[in-house]
């Protein structure tokens, strides 16, 4: 997966803390690089988060379209996977 550096203007400052928000483009590229459809990605996420039910494709679609931010737990799973795949 090709990663790009994010300009400081793309970051959001919140109450004195720097918050990094995963972009819809980044999420779409991640799924594409993994070769996963939304349903497969939902199951992949649920397994890593220890959840009984997978995320529905409609939930993932809202993230990909930017209609809802990707939760920090989901971001952590994705970034952890990327980190471990680089080692």
């Amino acid at each position: 997966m090709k990663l790009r550096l994010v300009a400081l203007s793309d970051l959001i400052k919140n109450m004195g803390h720097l918050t990094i928000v995963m972009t819809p483009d980044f999420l779409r590229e991640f799924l594409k690089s993994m070769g996963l459809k939304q349903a497969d990605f939902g199951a992949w996420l649920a397994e890593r988060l220890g959840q009984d039910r997978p995320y529905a494709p409609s939930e993932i679609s809202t993230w990909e379209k930017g209609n809802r931010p990707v939760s920090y737990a989901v971001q952590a799973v994705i970034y952890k996977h990327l980190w471990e795949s680089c080692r």
Side-chain angles (χ1 to χ4, degrees):
M1 174 176 187
K2 183 173 83 173
L3 299 177
R4 70 177 180 88
L5 294 176
V6 177
L8 186 57
S9 62
D10 291 340
L11 301 176
I12 297 172
K13 292 203 178 211
N14 183 11
M15 295 187 300
H17 294 70
L18 191 60
T19 304
I20 299 175
V21 178
M22 182 175 286
T23 65
D25 289 339
F26 185 95
L27 181 63
R28 281 191 300 275
E29 281 298 315
F30 179 75
L31 267 70
K32 184 178 174 182
S33 73
M34 296 276 291
L36 296 174
K37 301 284 186 197
Q38 290 175 340
D40 300 325
F41 179 60
W44 182 87
L45 276 176
E47 180 181 325
R48 278 148 188 81
L49 290 169
Q51 295 181 353
D52 293 334
R53 70 164 190 89
Y55 284 88
S58 60
E59 292 175 275
I60 296 161
S61 177
T62 63
W63 302 333
E64 288 185 318
K65 292 177 181 175
N67 294 335
R68 202 170 54 140
V70 179
S71 74
Y72 291 126
V74 170
Q75 289 184 52
V77 168
I78 292 170
Y79 292 135
K80 181 179 182 209
H81 175 79
L82 290 171
W83 174 256
E84 290 174 348
S85 68
C86 291
R87 296 194 296 165

